[in-house]
């Protein structure tokens, strides 16, 4: 290839140094020299072309080998990717099945636990209701007995005061001033007896009312505790502590 370039340079030099033909742009060149240079170029070019063709053939072979290698690599990568995807899909299906089974088991356990809590709460409510009714009946009975006793005591005190007043009135009936004083004292004693009876009745009513208020507070706390336990069961925040509610 170097000889081709060298011959071209020599031909350029011959043309540049050739004598011109006025008035045209033509020139006279030595035919023999130009033909020799053309022969040199003809002889040099085929070998260079063969080398270039060998390079092109080698390039095509390299490109073919690279293409085949790339295709094999792509096929292997596709196969590996397909295998990996199938394995991942199978693993995901297995994990999903395990998670669903775990979730179903947890739901079943939570439902059973909730049923146990509800049953325990219902039993506790029934027990508390029974205890509260028994306490209410006992308090009411005691209050009624105390009220009857106080009423009887007041009535006896009233009857005794009336009897004493009547006796005192009869004893002092002969004397006007004494009789008047006796009537006044008798009226005072009677008023005091009525006041004492009213006081005893008021104390009895207050005692019964306080016991009923205590029972009402007990029932209110019981209903509030049951409602809070049901709310905790619905929201899943944990098992209610009924004992803690009653300790309040």
């Amino acid at each position: 290839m170097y000889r081709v370039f060298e011959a071209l340079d020599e031909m350029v030099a011959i043309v540049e140094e050739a004598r011109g033909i006025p008035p045209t742009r033509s020139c006279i060149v030595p035919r023999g020299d130009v033909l020799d240079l053309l022969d040199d170029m003809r002889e040099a070019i085929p070998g260079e072309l063969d080398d270039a063709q060998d390079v092109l053939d080698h390039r095509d072979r390299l490109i073919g080998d690279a293409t085949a290698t790339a295709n094999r690599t792509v096929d292997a990568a596709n196969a590996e990717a397909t295998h990996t995807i199938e394995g991942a899909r199978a693993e995901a299906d297995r994990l999903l099945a395990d998670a669903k089974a775990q979730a179903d088991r947890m739901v079943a356990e939570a439902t059973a636990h909730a049923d146990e809590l509800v049953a325990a709460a219902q039993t506790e409510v029934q027990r508390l209701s029974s205890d509260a009714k028994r306490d209410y009946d006992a308090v009411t009975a005691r209050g009624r007995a105390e009220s009857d006793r106080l009423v009887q005591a007041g009535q006896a005190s009233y009857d005794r005061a009336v009897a004493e007043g009547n006796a005192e009135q009869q004893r002092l009936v002969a004397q006007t001033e004494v009789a008047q004083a006796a009537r006044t004292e008798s009226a005072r004693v009677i008023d005091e007896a009525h006041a004492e009876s009213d006081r005893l009745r008021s104390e009895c009513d207050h005692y019964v009312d306080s016991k009923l208020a205590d029972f009402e507070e007990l029932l209110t706390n019981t209903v509030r505790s049951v409602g809070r336990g049901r709310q905790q069961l619905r929201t899943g925040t944990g098992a209610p502590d009924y004992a803690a509610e009653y300790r309040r």
Side-chain angles (χ1 to χ4, degrees):
M1 184 61 68
Y2 177 76
R3 177 55 187 160
V4 173
F5 292 141
E6 187 179 24
L8 289 174
D9 292 338
E10 291 178 2
M11 290 181 63
V12 170
I14 291 173
V15 172
E16 289 177 348
E17 296 174 357
R19 186 177 58 186
I21 302 177
T24 66
R25 294 178 59 86
S26 300
C27 64
I28 298 173
V29 296
R31 179 181 297 174
D33 293 339
V34 173
L35 291 175
D36 290 338
L37 291 174
L38 290 174
D39 289 338
D40 292 340
M41 292 175 62
R42 186 182 294 113
E43 292 176 357
I45 286 176
E48 300 296 337
L49 289 177
D50 289 339
D51 294 339
Q53 187 64 42
D54 292 339
V55 172
L56 291 176
D57 293 340
H58 184 65
R59 186 199 64 177
D60 293 338
R61 185 168 59 255
L62 290 176
I63 292 174
D65 294 341
T67 301
T69 302
N71 291 332
R72 288 194 302 272
T73 303
V74 170
D75 292 339
N78 289 332
E80 182 66 21
T82 301
H83 177 72
T84 302
I85 291 173
E86 291 177 353
R89 186 179 291 110
E91 182 66 16
D93 293 338
R94 185 185 66 78
L95 292 176
L96 180 61
D98 292 342
K100 186 176 183 301
Q102 181 70 13
D104 293 340
R105 183 169 61 254
M106 292 177 65
V107 169
E109 291 176 356
T111 302
H113 184 62
D115 293 339
E116 293 177 358
L117 292 177
V118 170
Q122 291 176 349
T123 302
E124 184 68 15
V125 169
Q126 292 176 357
R127 185 186 67 79
L128 292 174
S129 298
S130 300
D131 294 343
K133 187 176 183 302
R134 184 172 60 254
D135 293 340
Y136 171 76
D137 293 339
V139 170
T140 303
R142 288 196 301 271
R144 188 178 294 111
E146 184 68 15
S147 176
D148 293 340
R149 186 186 66 78
L150 293 175
V151 170
Q152 291 176 0
Q155 186 64 39
S157 178
Y158 171 75
D159 293 339
R160 185 170 59 254
V162 170
E164 292 176 355
N166 289 332
E168 185 67 16
Q169 182 180 13
Q170 291 176 2
R171 187 179 65 81
L172 299 175
V173 71
Q175 300 177 0
T176 302
E177 293 181 357
V178 175
Q180 183 64 31
R183 284 195 296 271
T184 302
E185 182 65 18
S186 176
R188 184 186 66 77
V189 172
I190 291 172
D191 291 339
E192 289 180 354
H194 280 293
E196 181 66 15
S197 177
D198 292 339
R199 185 184 66 79
L200 293 175
R201 186 179 296 276
S202 176
E203 291 179 356
C204 178
D205 292 340
H206 179 70
Y207 175 77
V208 173
D209 182 70
S210 64
K211 292 300 181 181
L212 291 177
D214 294 339
F215 177 68
E216 181 182 8
E217 183 179 0
L218 175 62
L219 289 180
T220 301
N221 291 333
T222 301
V223 172
R224 186 183 301 110
S225 175
V226 172
R228 187 176 294 104
R230 293 182 61 194
Q231 179 67 23
Q232 292 177 352
L233 290 175
R234 285 195 297 268
T235 57
T237 56
D241 188 0
Y242 294 106
E245 294 293 334
Y246 293 113
R247 287 195 297 270
R248 295 181 181 178

